[in-house]
Amino acid sequence: MDFRRIQWIFIVAFVAINTFLFVTWQKSDSTVTESSQRNANNATTILREMKNDGITFTTPSSEEAEGYYASAKSGLSRLRAGVDNLTYQDLRFNATEMTSYLHQTLTVSPKKPQTQLNRFVKSNANVTAGDEYVYSAELSKVSANEVVYVQKVPSGTIMAPSGQLRFRIGAKNQVISYTQSYVIQAEPLREKTTTISQQKALIWLYQYNELPNSTKVLWSKLAYSRLLRVSDNNVYVPTWFIALKSKNTDNVVIKRVNAFTGAVMKSTDSTTQVTNSSSSSGSSSSTSSITVDNEDDTATTGN
């Protein structure tokens, strides 16, 4: 057979294969685009339905993020070991956390309490491992008499009760005490995985009938929450924390949505009475109830 003829056969075959692959890719790309457009249209429709149901919210982001399945152990032993370094405090321990009652007065700004508390937290004489916590503006908004810090871990923070530092604020903006929980040996269990977007978390919460009519979405935050307990280890998963407030009451509810699966994370609820007191000793106080979807180990108004 003529060599040139063979060469042309290969060229024609090569072009035919490439044409086939290009057409296949175009169809695939078109399918993905159409699917994305369909999803976007569906999301727009559902968000419109939510607004028609009296649910108010700022436009949620449709961008995805990344996170780990992570493991960690209770660090209560670390807190006990740090007792000797703490000064001017009375300490109490239970099965999961430590509470400290301060001897000295610490007054904080009602608008920016973290300004004074950041300095307090960083001192080893005041808080054990304080440099591993960061101020949570979201959780601190839940209660007028509590300021919350959350523990930092690889790729994020633990917004759950098992890794929190909560300051109780009394009259005249004085810190009365703080309660601390802590985890150790926090490390990823596997490679990073893509999480669902803020938009999807909110939509799925609505579709699971966990977002009542006439509700205001105060904020939503991606952080870590405990998924399960295996022997001495806790397994944590990226979680969308979504704060809801009914327009008819003062109740604030924080829902949790698994940021990998989209499932609403159920657990024992806790209710805490919160007193909002003015700085004037003669002023009256109002009491509101905060209900929180919680981990099953600790009750707190911050989660």
Side-chain angles (χ1 to χ4, degrees):
M1 185 179 288
D2 189 340
F3 176 76
R4 183 176 295 276
R5 188 175 179 183
I6 295 175
Q7 190 178 42
W8 273 106
I9 291 174
F10 275 111
I11 291 174
V12 171
F14 177 79
V15 171
I17 291 173
N18 276 271
T19 301
F20 171 77
L21 292 175
F22 177 73
V23 171
T24 302
W25 173 81
Q26 273 196 320
K27 288 183 179 179
S28 175
D29 186 60
S30 175
T31 301
V32 171
T33 301
E34 289 175 3
S35 177
S36 299
Q37 289 175 343
R38 251 193 330 268
N39 290 337
N41 291 335
N42 289 340
T44 301
T45 300
I46 295 172
L47 291 175
R48 189 182 302 117
E49 290 176 1
M50 291 167 61
K51 289 184 177 180
N52 291 337
D53 287 338
I55 300 169
T56 58
F57 52 90
T58 56
T59 303
S61 171
S62 60
E63 291 188 8
E64 298 173 334
E66 291 183 324
Y68 299 99
Y69 281 101
S71 68
K73 294 184 178 181
S74 170
L76 194 63
S77 58
R78 169 76 186 280
L79 299 183
R80 289 185 182 277
V83 164
D84 292 339
N85 295 325
L86 301 178
T87 59
Y88 305 108
Q89 303 177 35
D90 288 330
L91 307 174
R92 300 289 185 273
F93 286 87
N94 63 21
T96 59
E97 58 189 16
M98 179 191 79
T99 299
S100 168
Y101 299 90
L102 305 184
H103 293 182
Q104 296 182 334
T105 300
L106 175 63
T107 304
V108 297
S109 166
K111 293 184 178 180
K112 292 186 176 182
Q114 70 273 25
T115 302
Q116 292 83 15
L117 287 175
N118 283 346
R119 292 193 294 268
F120 181 86
V121 168
K122 289 179 181 179
S123 171
N124 288 331
N126 298 327
V127 178
T128 300
D131 58 347
E132 296 184 38
Y133 294 83
V134 62
Y135 171 71
S136 172
E138 293 81 10
L139 292 182
S140 297
K141 292 176 182 177
V142 174
S143 170
N145 64 350
E146 191 171 67
V147 179
V148 183
Y149 282 66
V150 293
Q151 188 176 346
K152 296 179 289 186
V153 293
S155 189
T157 57
I158 295 179
M159 217 165 179
S162 49
Q164 288 185 355
L165 181 61
R166 305 187 302 276
F167 290 91
R168 182 167 180 78
I169 312 298
K172 299 180 180 179
N173 301 310
Q174 293 181 342
V175 178
I176 299 172
S177 63
Y178 70 80
T179 299
Q180 183 178 10
S181 54
Y182 182 71
V183 301
I184 57 175
Q185 300 178 18
E187 57 185 15
L189 290 177
R190 49 186 294 185
E191 67 279 359
K192 276 188 176 181
T193 304
T194 301
T195 67
I196 64 173
S197 66
Q198 181 188 41
Q199 183 185 80
K200 281 188 177 180
L202 190 61
I203 286 174
W204 286 354
L205 193 66
Y206 174 73
Q207 292 181 323
Y208 282 129
N209 296 318
E210 295 286 344
L211 191 50
N213 294 352
S214 302
T215 295
K216 182 177 182 179
V217 179
L218 300 178
W219 51 263
S220 55
K221 180 79 172 180
L222 182 63
Y224 281 87
S225 178
R226 195 179 68 190
L227 179 65
L228 55 89
R229 184 182 294 157
V230 181
S231 187
D232 293 334
N233 289 299
N234 293 324
V235 176
Y236 291 85
V237 64
T239 304
W240 278 105
F241 291 78
I242 302 176
L244 311 175
K245 181 179 181 297
S246 171
K247 294 180 180 178
N248 302 320
T249 69
D250 291 329
N251 294 347
V252 175
V253 179
I254 299 181
K255 296 289 186 177
R256 297 183 297 144
V257 178
N258 187 315
F260 283 154
T261 66
V264 178
M265 300 173 71
K266 291 290 188 179
S267 54
T268 304
D269 290 351
S270 64
T271 302
T272 303
Q273 294 298 317
V274 178
T275 302
N276 299 323
S277 302
S278 65
S279 57
S280 172
S281 59
S283 300
S284 60
S285 299
S286 62
T287 301
S288 60
S289 176
I290 294 180
T291 304
V292 181
D293 268 5
N294 227 330
E295 288 180 322
D296 56 10
D297 58 345
T298 305
T300 172
T301 58
N303 191 5

